[in-house]
Amino acid sequence: MVLLSILCVGAFLSAIFVTGMHDASNAIAVPVRTRTMGDTAALITAALFNGIGVFAAYLLITDMSVPWIAVPSGHLGLPGLTAALITAALWGVATWALRMPASSTHALIGALAGVAWYARVDGEGSRFIPAIFDATLLPLLYLPPLIFLLSWLLVIPFYRLAIRSSPSSVNRHSREVLAVSASAISLLHGMQTGYLYLLVLHVLGAVFPLPTRDLLPWHVLTIALALAAGTLTGGRRIGYTFAYRMVRLDPMRGAVAQGTTALMQALGYFLLQLPFSSSHLATASALGAGVNQRFNSVKPKIVANIMLTWFVTLPACFLCAIALMMALDGIFG
């Protein structure tokens, strides 16, 4: 029990760290590509606002019970949560190594679905799995096309404004928007990730005898530091795919893409309150803005690989979590 508890805490911190490492490119890739910010400055800014976002999520959180974050009750609870967190961390590392922008949120939720399926004999999976896929599959299907279209459309009025101004003025104002939107994306990503892992921590308190199930400031600080540390170590690898291989963006279109991403993140967090993916939003908005220009700026093969990664994430993490759950249940059961 003690060894499994230590493993669970390690997996919890690792999953948060990998999320920061993996998702840093959502905020910094386009600003760095358009020379708005240097690599180091962009990473420090993203890490800072990610950490602030975690504390903002803590201050704003009201509902600690959502249908898409749960683990089986009884003796399968702690192994199940551990298996899900390990799966999320491993998937994040794998997609980071492959330079693919994938969803850390969907990885964790797919893993939780696998754990629920494994525990179906206890009656937990039959109620939990539909809630997971209702909350994840619909946003996966409609949000990326929606933000792609919105980003594509927004290029039109901004392009018409741009052709009436000098290129230096357009680039200067676009880079100002990019700097602000990069901070906003990091802040909202920190809020989303903080909210997600505060919920996971609350679930951990239900399956592990913690002194209290109340969220304490040091819990929040630990999550914020793990996320910020991961952000500082990541960004460049996936950012290369995101801003150099997938699509070419000038500062004006980059500003449209980043602004659209920040807007949709805010709407998703405060209005939809669903586990959407910031990676999906950032990628789709960059593609939408990049497509809307006279020359071919998008590499279809890279886009196809990214979309394949998106749709493979849920089933792959589902199966991986089942395999890990079987192993942990056999060892510690």
PDB file of all heavy atoms in Angstrom, residues 154-191:
ATOM      1  N   LEU A 154     -11.394  35.343 -39.650  1.00  0.00           N
ATOM      2  CA  LEU A 154     -10.858  36.551 -39.031  1.00  0.00           C
ATOM      3  C   LEU A 154      -9.663  37.118 -39.790  1.00  0.00           C
ATOM      4  O   LEU A 154      -9.360  38.314 -39.663  1.00  0.00           O
ATOM      5  CB  LEU A 154     -10.465  36.262 -37.581  1.00  0.00           C
ATOM      6  CG  LEU A 154     -11.625  36.122 -36.589  1.00  0.00           C
ATOM      7  CD1 LEU A 154     -11.110  35.704 -35.223  1.00  0.00           C
ATOM      8  CD2 LEU A 154     -12.399  37.435 -36.486  1.00  0.00           C
ATOM      9  N   VAL A 155      -8.993  36.282 -40.560  1.00  0.00           N
ATOM     10  CA  VAL A 155      -7.873  36.783 -41.352  1.00  0.00           C
ATOM     11  C   VAL A 155      -8.354  37.826 -42.366  1.00  0.00           C
ATOM     12  O   VAL A 155      -7.643  38.810 -42.649  1.00  0.00           O
ATOM     13  CB  VAL A 155      -7.155  35.618 -42.073  1.00  0.00           C
ATOM     14  CG1 VAL A 155      -6.183  36.145 -43.137  1.00  0.00           C
ATOM     15  CG2 VAL A 155      -6.401  34.764 -41.067  1.00  0.00           C
ATOM     16  N   ILE A 156      -9.553  37.653 -42.890  1.00  0.00           N
ATOM     17  CA  ILE A 156     -10.048  38.515 -43.974  1.00  0.00           C
ATOM     18  C   ILE A 156     -10.117  39.983 -43.559  1.00  0.00           C
ATOM     19  O   ILE A 156      -9.509  40.846 -44.215  1.00  0.00           O
ATOM     20  CB  ILE A 156     -11.412  38.005 -44.481  1.00  0.00           C
ATOM     21  CG1 ILE A 156     -11.262  36.596 -45.061  1.00  0.00           C
ATOM     22  CG2 ILE A 156     -11.987  38.958 -45.526  1.00  0.00           C
ATOM     23  CD1 ILE A 156     -12.576  35.928 -45.425  1.00  0.00           C
ATOM     24  N   PRO A 157     -10.836  40.340 -42.475  1.00  0.00           N
ATOM     25  CA  PRO A 157     -10.875  41.766 -42.118  1.00  0.00           C
ATOM     26  C   PRO A 157      -9.520  42.317 -41.687  1.00  0.00           C
ATOM     27  O   PRO A 157      -9.192  43.475 -41.987  1.00  0.00           O
ATOM     28  CB  PRO A 157     -11.892  41.814 -40.967  1.00  0.00           C
ATOM     29  CG  PRO A 157     -11.929  40.438 -40.416  1.00  0.00           C
ATOM     30  CD  PRO A 157     -11.699  39.538 -41.581  1.00  0.00           C
ATOM     31  N   PHE A 158      -8.730  41.500 -40.998  1.00  0.00           N
ATOM     32  CA  PHE A 158      -7.423  41.994 -40.565  1.00  0.00           C
ATOM     33  C   PHE A 158      -6.469  42.157 -41.749  1.00  0.00           C
ATOM     34  O   PHE A 158      -5.627  43.068 -41.757  1.00  0.00           O
ATOM     35  CB  PHE A 158      -6.828  41.056 -39.515  1.00  0.00           C
ATOM     36  CG  PHE A 158      -7.440  41.221 -38.153  1.00  0.00           C
ATOM     37  CD1 PHE A 158      -8.373  40.310 -37.678  1.00  0.00           C
ATOM     38  CD2 PHE A 158      -7.106  42.297 -37.355  1.00  0.00           C
ATOM     39  CE1 PHE A 158      -8.952  40.466 -36.431  1.00  0.00           C
ATOM     40  CE2 PHE A 158      -7.676  42.469 -36.105  1.00  0.00           C
ATOM     41  CZ  PHE A 158      -8.609  41.552 -35.643  1.00  0.00           C
ATOM     42  N   TYR A 159      -6.610  41.311 -42.744  1.00  0.00           N
ATOM     43  CA  TYR A 159      -5.784  41.468 -43.945  1.00  0.00           C
ATOM     44  C   TYR A 159      -6.146  42.760 -44.678  1.00  0.00           C
ATOM     45  O   TYR A 159      -5.262  43.488 -45.161  1.00  0.00           O
ATOM     46  CB  TYR A 159      -5.969  40.262 -44.866  1.00  0.00           C
ATOM     47  CG  TYR A 159      -5.247  40.401 -46.184  1.00  0.00           C
ATOM     48  CD1 TYR A 159      -3.865  40.248 -46.258  1.00  0.00           C
ATOM     49  CD2 TYR A 159      -5.952  40.699 -47.349  1.00  0.00           C
ATOM     50  CE1 TYR A 159      -3.197  40.387 -47.468  1.00  0.00           C
ATOM     51  CE2 TYR A 159      -5.293  40.836 -48.560  1.00  0.00           C
ATOM     52  CZ  TYR A 159      -3.919  40.682 -48.615  1.00  0.00           C
ATOM     53  OH  TYR A 159      -3.264  40.827 -49.812  1.00  0.00           O
ATOM     54  N   ARG A 160      -7.422  43.055 -44.749  1.00  0.00           N
ATOM     55  CA  ARG A 160      -7.852  44.288 -45.426  1.00  0.00           C
ATOM     56  C   ARG A 160      -7.370  45.529 -44.686  1.00  0.00           C
ATOM     57  O   ARG A 160      -7.057  46.550 -45.300  1.00  0.00           O
ATOM     58  CB  ARG A 160      -9.373  44.285 -45.564  1.00  0.00           C
ATOM     59  CG  ARG A 160      -9.867  43.239 -46.562  1.00  0.00           C
ATOM     60  CD  ARG A 160     -11.372  43.239 -46.698  1.00  0.00           C
ATOM     61  NE  ARG A 160     -11.802  42.273 -47.708  1.00  0.00           N
ATOM     62  CZ  ARG A 160     -13.071  41.985 -47.982  1.00  0.00           C
ATOM     63  NH1 ARG A 160     -14.040  42.606 -47.309  1.00  0.00           N
ATOM     64  NH2 ARG A 160     -13.370  41.095 -48.908  1.00  0.00           N
ATOM     65  N   LEU A 161      -7.320  45.434 -43.370  1.00  0.00           N
ATOM     66  CA  LEU A 161      -6.750  46.542 -42.604  1.00  0.00           C
ATOM     67  C   LEU A 161      -5.238  46.626 -42.813  1.00  0.00           C
ATOM     68  O   LEU A 161      -4.673  47.725 -42.896  1.00  0.00           O
ATOM     69  CB  LEU A 161      -7.054  46.360 -41.115  1.00  0.00           C
ATOM     70  CG  LEU A 161      -8.498  46.583 -40.667  1.00  0.00           C
ATOM     71  CD1 LEU A 161      -8.659  46.199 -39.201  1.00  0.00           C
ATOM     72  CD2 LEU A 161      -8.915  48.036 -40.878  1.00  0.00           C
ATOM     73  N   ALA A 162      -4.608  45.473 -42.921  1.00  0.00           N
ATOM     74  CA  ALA A 162      -3.149  45.441 -43.026  1.00  0.00           C
ATOM     75  C   ALA A 162      -2.656  46.038 -44.334  1.00  0.00           C
ATOM     76  O   ALA A 162      -1.616  46.716 -44.361  1.00  0.00           O
ATOM     77  CB  ALA A 162      -2.651  44.004 -42.879  1.00  0.00           C
ATOM     78  N   ILE A 163      -3.374  45.798 -45.434  1.00  0.00           N
ATOM     79  CA  ILE A 163      -2.886  46.285 -46.730  1.00  0.00           C
ATOM     80  C   ILE A 163      -2.986  47.806 -46.835  1.00  0.00           C
ATOM     81  O   ILE A 163      -2.413  48.401 -47.753  1.00  0.00           O
ATOM     82  CB  ILE A 163      -3.658  45.619 -47.893  1.00  0.00           C
ATOM     83  CG1 ILE A 163      -5.158  45.923 -47.802  1.00  0.00           C
ATOM     84  CG2 ILE A 163      -3.387  44.127 -47.920  1.00  0.00           C
ATOM     85  CD1 ILE A 163      -5.959  45.353 -48.968  1.00  0.00           C
ATOM     86  N   ARG A 164      -3.689  48.430 -45.903  1.00  0.00           N
ATOM     87  CA  ARG A 164      -3.787  49.893 -45.898  1.00  0.00           C
ATOM     88  C   ARG A 164      -2.729  50.533 -44.999  1.00  0.00           C
ATOM     89  O   ARG A 164      -2.686  51.759 -44.881  1.00  0.00           O
ATOM     90  CB  ARG A 164      -5.177  50.318 -45.425  1.00  0.00           C
ATOM     91  CG  ARG A 164      -6.304  49.816 -46.321  1.00  0.00           C
ATOM     92  CD  ARG A 164      -7.658  50.175 -45.739  1.00  0.00           C
ATOM     93  NE  ARG A 164      -8.745  49.623 -46.544  1.00  0.00           N
ATOM     94  CZ  ARG A 164     -10.034  49.710 -46.225  1.00  0.00           C
ATOM     95  NH1 ARG A 164     -10.395  50.335 -45.108  1.00  0.00           N
ATOM     96  NH2 ARG A 164     -10.954  49.175 -47.005  1.00  0.00           N
ATOM     97  N   SER A 165      -1.927  49.703 -44.362  1.00  0.00           N
ATOM     98  CA  SER A 165      -0.897  50.210 -43.460  1.00  0.00           C
ATOM     99  C   SER A 165       0.473  49.758 -43.942  1.00  0.00           C
ATOM    100  O   SER A 165       0.594  48.855 -44.778  1.00  0.00           O
ATOM    101  CB  SER A 165      -1.143  49.706 -42.031  1.00  0.00           C
ATOM    102  OG  SER A 165      -2.443  50.035 -41.589  1.00  0.00           O
ATOM    103  N   SER A 166       1.484  50.354 -43.387  1.00  0.00           N
ATOM    104  CA  SER A 166       2.842  49.969 -43.766  1.00  0.00           C
ATOM    105  C   SER A 166       3.182  48.612 -43.155  1.00  0.00           C
ATOM    106  O   SER A 166       2.700  48.274 -42.066  1.00  0.00           O
ATOM    107  CB  SER A 166       3.839  51.010 -43.274  1.00  0.00           C
ATOM    108  OG  SER A 166       3.862  51.041 -41.857  1.00  0.00           O
ATOM    109  N   PRO A 167       3.997  47.816 -43.833  1.00  0.00           N
ATOM    110  CA  PRO A 167       4.370  46.503 -43.287  1.00  0.00           C
ATOM    111  C   PRO A 167       5.000  46.580 -41.900  1.00  0.00           C
ATOM    112  O   PRO A 167       4.736  45.732 -41.043  1.00  0.00           O
ATOM    113  CB  PRO A 167       5.361  45.966 -44.320  1.00  0.00           C
ATOM    114  CG  PRO A 167       4.990  46.655 -45.593  1.00  0.00           C
ATOM    115  CD  PRO A 167       4.539  48.020 -45.191  1.00  0.00           C
ATOM    116  N   SER A 168       5.824  47.589 -41.674  1.00  0.00           N
ATOM    117  CA  SER A 168       6.472  47.697 -40.362  1.00  0.00           C
ATOM    118  C   SER A 168       5.446  47.951 -39.262  1.00  0.00           C
ATOM    119  O   SER A 168       5.552  47.401 -38.155  1.00  0.00           O
ATOM    120  CB  SER A 168       7.508  48.820 -40.380  1.00  0.00           C
ATOM    121  OG  SER A 168       6.891  50.069 -40.687  1.00  0.00           O
ATOM    122  N   SER A 169       4.444  48.772 -39.556  1.00  0.00           N
ATOM    123  CA  SER A 169       3.398  49.046 -38.569  1.00  0.00           C
ATOM    124  C   SER A 169       2.562  47.799 -38.296  1.00  0.00           C
ATOM    125  O   SER A 169       2.243  47.486 -37.139  1.00  0.00           O
ATOM    126  CB  SER A 169       2.500  50.176 -39.067  1.00  0.00           C
ATOM    127  OG  SER A 169       1.428  50.397 -38.171  1.00  0.00           O
ATOM    128  N   VAL A 170       2.216  47.073 -39.355  1.00  0.00           N
ATOM    129  CA  VAL A 170       1.431  45.839 -39.196  1.00  0.00           C
ATOM    130  C   VAL A 170       2.202  44.823 -38.362  1.00  0.00           C
ATOM    131  O   VAL A 170       1.657  44.213 -37.432  1.00  0.00           O
ATOM    132  CB  VAL A 170       1.073  45.250 -40.575  1.00  0.00           C
ATOM    133  CG1 VAL A 170       0.443  43.865 -40.415  1.00  0.00           C
ATOM    134  CG2 VAL A 170       0.129  46.176 -41.315  1.00  0.00           C
ATOM    135  N   ASN A 171       3.470  44.647 -38.682  1.00  0.00           N
ATOM    136  CA  ASN A 171       4.273  43.668 -37.945  1.00  0.00           C
ATOM    137  C   ASN A 171       4.445  44.070 -36.483  1.00  0.00           C
ATOM    138  O   ASN A 171       4.403  43.215 -35.586  1.00  0.00           O
ATOM    139  CB  ASN A 171       5.639  43.512 -38.608  1.00  0.00           C
ATOM    140  CG  ASN A 171       5.555  42.781 -39.935  1.00  0.00           C
ATOM    141  OD1 ASN A 171       4.593  42.049 -40.193  1.00  0.00           O
ATOM    142  ND2 ASN A 171       6.550  42.975 -40.786  1.00  0.00           N
ATOM    143  N   ARG A 172       4.625  45.367 -36.242  1.00  0.00           N
ATOM    144  CA  ARG A 172       4.811  45.823 -34.859  1.00  0.00           C
ATOM    145  C   ARG A 172       3.560  45.564 -34.024  1.00  0.00           C
ATOM    146  O   ARG A 172       3.636  45.003 -32.924  1.00  0.00           O
ATOM    147  CB  ARG A 172       5.156  47.310 -34.846  1.00  0.00           C
ATOM    148  CG  ARG A 172       5.443  47.827 -33.426  1.00  0.00           C
ATOM    149  CD  ARG A 172       5.848  49.292 -33.412  1.00  0.00           C
ATOM    150  NE  ARG A 172       4.737  50.178 -33.771  1.00  0.00           N
ATOM    151  CZ  ARG A 172       4.614  50.801 -34.930  1.00  0.00           C
ATOM    152  NH1 ARG A 172       5.536  50.631 -35.875  1.00  0.00           N
ATOM    153  NH2 ARG A 172       3.585  51.591 -35.178  1.00  0.00           N
ATOM    154  N   HIS A 173       2.410  45.956 -34.552  1.00  0.00           N
ATOM    155  CA  HIS A 173       1.165  45.752 -33.803  1.00  0.00           C
ATOM    156  C   HIS A 173       0.822  44.262 -33.686  1.00  0.00           C
ATOM    157  O   HIS A 173       0.289  43.820 -32.656  1.00  0.00           O
ATOM    158  CB  HIS A 173       0.022  46.512 -34.473  1.00  0.00           C
ATOM    159  CG  HIS A 173       0.139  48.000 -34.375  1.00  0.00           C
ATOM    160  ND1 HIS A 173       0.265  48.662 -33.167  1.00  0.00           N
ATOM    161  CD2 HIS A 173       0.154  48.971 -35.331  1.00  0.00           C
ATOM    162  CE1 HIS A 173       0.350  49.967 -33.375  1.00  0.00           C
ATOM    163  NE2 HIS A 173       0.289  50.181 -34.682  1.00  0.00           N
ATOM    164  N   SER A 174       1.133  43.503 -34.720  1.00  0.00           N
ATOM    165  CA  SER A 174       0.866  42.058 -34.664  1.00  0.00           C
ATOM    166  C   SER A 174       1.710  41.398 -33.582  1.00  0.00           C
ATOM    167  O   SER A 174       1.227  40.524 -32.845  1.00  0.00           O
ATOM    168  CB  SER A 174       1.164  41.414 -36.020  1.00  0.00           C
ATOM    169  OG  SER A 174       0.300  41.907 -37.018  1.00  0.00           O
ATOM    170  N   ARG A 175       2.954  41.819 -33.472  1.00  0.00           N
ATOM    171  CA  ARG A 175       3.824  41.232 -32.445  1.00  0.00           C
ATOM    172  C   ARG A 175       3.377  41.637 -31.041  1.00  0.00           C
ATOM    173  O   ARG A 175       3.545  40.867 -30.084  1.00  0.00           O
ATOM    174  CB  ARG A 175       5.275  41.641 -32.698  1.00  0.00           C
ATOM    175  CG  ARG A 175       5.867  40.959 -33.937  1.00  0.00           C
ATOM    176  CD  ARG A 175       7.351  41.219 -34.092  1.00  0.00           C
ATOM    177  NE  ARG A 175       7.900  40.405 -35.162  1.00  0.00           N
ATOM    178  CZ  ARG A 175       8.264  40.862 -36.356  1.00  0.00           C
ATOM    179  NH1 ARG A 175       8.134  42.164 -36.632  1.00  0.00           N
ATOM    180  NH2 ARG A 175       8.751  40.047 -37.269  1.00  0.00           N
ATOM    181  N   GLU A 176       2.807  42.813 -30.910  1.00  0.00           N
ATOM    182  CA  GLU A 176       2.248  43.204 -29.613  1.00  0.00           C
ATOM    183  C   GLU A 176       1.083  42.288 -29.238  1.00  0.00           C
ATOM    184  O   GLU A 176       0.970  41.836 -28.087  1.00  0.00           O
ATOM    185  CB  GLU A 176       1.787  44.666 -29.665  1.00  0.00           C
ATOM    186  CG  GLU A 176       2.931  45.668 -29.765  1.00  0.00           C
ATOM    187  CD  GLU A 176       2.443  47.080 -30.058  1.00  0.00           C
ATOM    188  OE1 GLU A 176       1.216  47.240 -30.303  1.00  0.00           O
ATOM    189  OE2 GLU A 176       3.267  48.014 -30.054  1.00  0.00           O
ATOM    190  N   VAL A 177       0.224  42.013 -30.212  1.00  0.00           N
ATOM    191  CA  VAL A 177      -0.898  41.096 -29.970  1.00  0.00           C
ATOM    192  C   VAL A 177      -0.381  39.698 -29.652  1.00  0.00           C
ATOM    193  O   VAL A 177      -0.902  39.012 -28.761  1.00  0.00           O
ATOM    194  CB  VAL A 177      -1.843  41.063 -31.191  1.00  0.00           C
ATOM    195  CG1 VAL A 177      -2.909  39.983 -31.019  1.00  0.00           C
ATOM    196  CG2 VAL A 177      -2.490  42.419 -31.399  1.00  0.00           C
ATOM    197  N   LEU A 178       0.650  39.267 -30.357  1.00  0.00           N
ATOM    198  CA  LEU A 178       1.219  37.944 -30.115  1.00  0.00           C
ATOM    199  C   LEU A 178       1.769  37.816 -28.699  1.00  0.00           C
ATOM    200  O   LEU A 178       1.581  36.785 -28.038  1.00  0.00           O
ATOM    201  CB  LEU A 178       2.328  37.663 -31.131  1.00  0.00           C
ATOM    202  CG  LEU A 178       1.872  37.153 -32.500  1.00  0.00           C
ATOM    203  CD1 LEU A 178       2.998  37.272 -33.515  1.00  0.00           C
ATOM    204  CD2 LEU A 178       1.409  35.711 -32.394  1.00  0.00           C
ATOM    205  N   ALA A 179       2.437  38.841 -28.230  1.00  0.00           N
ATOM    206  CA  ALA A 179       2.998  38.792 -26.879  1.00  0.00           C
ATOM    207  C   ALA A 179       1.895  38.695 -25.828  1.00  0.00           C
ATOM    208  O   ALA A 179       1.984  37.900 -24.877  1.00  0.00           O
ATOM    209  CB  ALA A 179       3.864  40.023 -26.629  1.00  0.00           C
ATOM    210  N   VAL A 180       0.843  39.489 -26.013  1.00  0.00           N
ATOM    211  CA  VAL A 180      -0.266  39.465 -25.054  1.00  0.00           C
ATOM    212  C   VAL A 180      -1.014  38.139 -25.123  1.00  0.00           C
ATOM    213  O   VAL A 180      -1.341  37.528 -24.092  1.00  0.00           O
ATOM    214  CB  VAL A 180      -1.229  40.643 -25.318  1.00  0.00           C
ATOM    215  CG1 VAL A 180      -2.471  40.528 -24.440  1.00  0.00           C
ATOM    216  CG2 VAL A 180      -0.526  41.969 -25.063  1.00  0.00           C
ATOM    217  N   SER A 181      -1.283  37.672 -26.334  1.00  0.00           N
ATOM    218  CA  SER A 181      -2.052  36.430 -26.479  1.00  0.00           C
ATOM    219  C   SER A 181      -1.263  35.220 -25.984  1.00  0.00           C
ATOM    220  O   SER A 181      -1.852  34.272 -25.448  1.00  0.00           O
ATOM    221  CB  SER A 181      -2.478  36.231 -27.934  1.00  0.00           C
ATOM    222  OG  SER A 181      -1.359  36.173 -28.791  1.00  0.00           O
ATOM    223  N   ALA A 182       0.059  35.237 -26.135  1.00  0.00           N
ATOM    224  CA  ALA A 182       0.868  34.134 -25.605  1.00  0.00           C
ATOM    225  C   ALA A 182       0.729  34.048 -24.092  1.00  0.00           C
ATOM    226  O   ALA A 182       0.608  32.951 -23.523  1.00  0.00           O
ATOM    227  CB  ALA A 182       2.331  34.319 -25.996  1.00  0.00           C
ATOM    228  N   SER A 183       0.730  35.199 -23.438  1.00  0.00           N
ATOM    229  CA  SER A 183       0.536  35.215 -21.985  1.00  0.00           C
ATOM    230  C   SER A 183      -0.862  34.736 -21.618  1.00  0.00           C
ATOM    231  O   SER A 183      -1.044  33.981 -20.653  1.00  0.00           O
ATOM    232  CB  SER A 183       0.762  36.632 -21.449  1.00  0.00           C
ATOM    233  OG  SER A 183       2.070  37.082 -21.746  1.00  0.00           O
ATOM    234  N   ALA A 184      -1.858  35.167 -22.397  1.00  0.00           N
ATOM    235  CA  ALA A 184      -3.239  34.759 -22.118  1.00  0.00           C
ATOM    236  C   ALA A 184      -3.420  33.255 -22.305  1.00  0.00           C
ATOM    237  O   ALA A 184      -4.085  32.592 -21.495  1.00  0.00           O
ATOM    238  CB  ALA A 184      -4.198  35.525 -23.024  1.00  0.00           C
ATOM    239  N   ILE A 185      -2.833  32.712 -23.366  1.00  0.00           N
ATOM    240  CA  ILE A 185      -2.937  31.271 -23.611  1.00  0.00           C
ATOM    241  C   ILE A 185      -2.299  30.494 -22.463  1.00  0.00           C
ATOM    242  O   ILE A 185      -2.848  29.492 -21.983  1.00  0.00           O
ATOM    243  CB  ILE A 185      -2.278  30.907 -24.955  1.00  0.00           C
ATOM    244  CG1 ILE A 185      -3.124  31.446 -26.116  1.00  0.00           C
ATOM    245  CG2 ILE A 185      -2.103  29.396 -25.091  1.00  0.00           C
ATOM    246  CD1 ILE A 185      -2.440  31.343 -27.467  1.00  0.00           C
ATOM    247  N   SER A 186      -1.143  30.946 -21.999  1.00  0.00           N
ATOM    248  CA  SER A 186      -0.471  30.268 -20.885  1.00  0.00           C
ATOM    249  C   SER A 186      -1.296  30.364 -19.607  1.00  0.00           C
ATOM    250  O   SER A 186      -1.413  29.385 -18.855  1.00  0.00           O
ATOM    251  CB  SER A 186       0.914  30.882 -20.666  1.00  0.00           C
ATOM    252  OG  SER A 186       1.737  30.698 -21.791  1.00  0.00           O
ATOM    253  N   LEU A 187      -1.857  31.535 -19.353  1.00  0.00           N
ATOM    254  CA  LEU A 187      -2.687  31.707 -18.160  1.00  0.00           C
ATOM    255  C   LEU A 187      -3.891  30.771 -18.191  1.00  0.00           C
ATOM    256  O   LEU A 187      -4.192  30.076 -17.207  1.00  0.00           O
ATOM    257  CB  LEU A 187      -3.152  33.157 -18.065  1.00  0.00           C
ATOM    258  CG  LEU A 187      -4.121  33.487 -16.921  1.00  0.00           C
ATOM    259  CD1 LEU A 187      -3.425  33.343 -15.573  1.00  0.00           C
ATOM    260  CD2 LEU A 187      -4.682  34.900 -17.083  1.00  0.00           C
ATOM    261  N   LEU A 188      -4.580  30.734 -19.327  1.00  0.00           N
ATOM    262  CA  LEU A 188      -5.770  29.890 -19.446  1.00  0.00           C
ATOM    263  C   LEU A 188      -5.405  28.411 -19.440  1.00  0.00           C
ATOM    264  O   LEU A 188      -6.153  27.581 -18.911  1.00  0.00           O
ATOM    265  CB  LEU A 188      -6.527  30.257 -20.726  1.00  0.00           C
ATOM    266  CG  LEU A 188      -7.205  31.630 -20.682  1.00  0.00           C
ATOM    267  CD1 LEU A 188      -7.536  32.117 -22.090  1.00  0.00           C
ATOM    268  CD2 LEU A 188      -8.470  31.574 -19.829  1.00  0.00           C
ATOM    269  N   HIS A 189      -4.249  28.083 -20.011  1.00  0.00           N
ATOM    270  CA  HIS A 189      -3.789  26.693 -19.945  1.00  0.00           C
ATOM    271  C   HIS A 189      -3.500  26.300 -18.503  1.00  0.00           C
ATOM    272  O   HIS A 189      -3.831  25.183 -18.068  1.00  0.00           O
ATOM    273  CB  HIS A 189      -2.540  26.514 -20.802  1.00  0.00           C
ATOM    274  CG  HIS A 189      -1.959  25.130 -20.738  1.00  0.00           C
ATOM    275  ND1 HIS A 189      -0.959  24.784 -19.847  1.00  0.00           N
ATOM    276  CD2 HIS A 189      -2.249  24.002 -21.429  1.00  0.00           C
ATOM    277  CE1 HIS A 189      -0.657  23.510 -20.006  1.00  0.00           C
ATOM    278  NE2 HIS A 189      -1.421  23.009 -20.957  1.00  0.00           N
ATOM    279  N   GLY A 190      -2.885  27.203 -17.750  1.00  0.00           N
ATOM    280  CA  GLY A 190      -2.637  26.925 -16.345  1.00  0.00           C
ATOM    281  C   GLY A 190      -3.930  26.749 -15.565  1.00  0.00           C
ATOM    282  O   GLY A 190      -4.030  25.883 -14.688  1.00  0.00           O
ATOM    283  N   MET A 191      -4.937  27.547 -15.896  1.00  0.00           N
ATOM    284  CA  MET A 191      -6.230  27.416 -15.228  1.00  0.00           C
ATOM    285  C   MET A 191      -6.880  26.076 -15.555  1.00  0.00           C
ATOM    286  O   MET A 191      -7.401  25.388 -14.666  1.00  0.00           O
ATOM    287  CB  MET A 191      -7.144  28.572 -15.643  1.00  0.00           C
ATOM    288  CG  MET A 191      -6.687  29.931 -15.145  1.00  0.00           C
ATOM    289  SD  MET A 191      -7.701  31.297 -15.744  1.00  0.00           S
ATOM    290  CE  MET A 191      -9.240  30.974 -14.880  1.00  0.00           C
TER     291      MET A 191
END
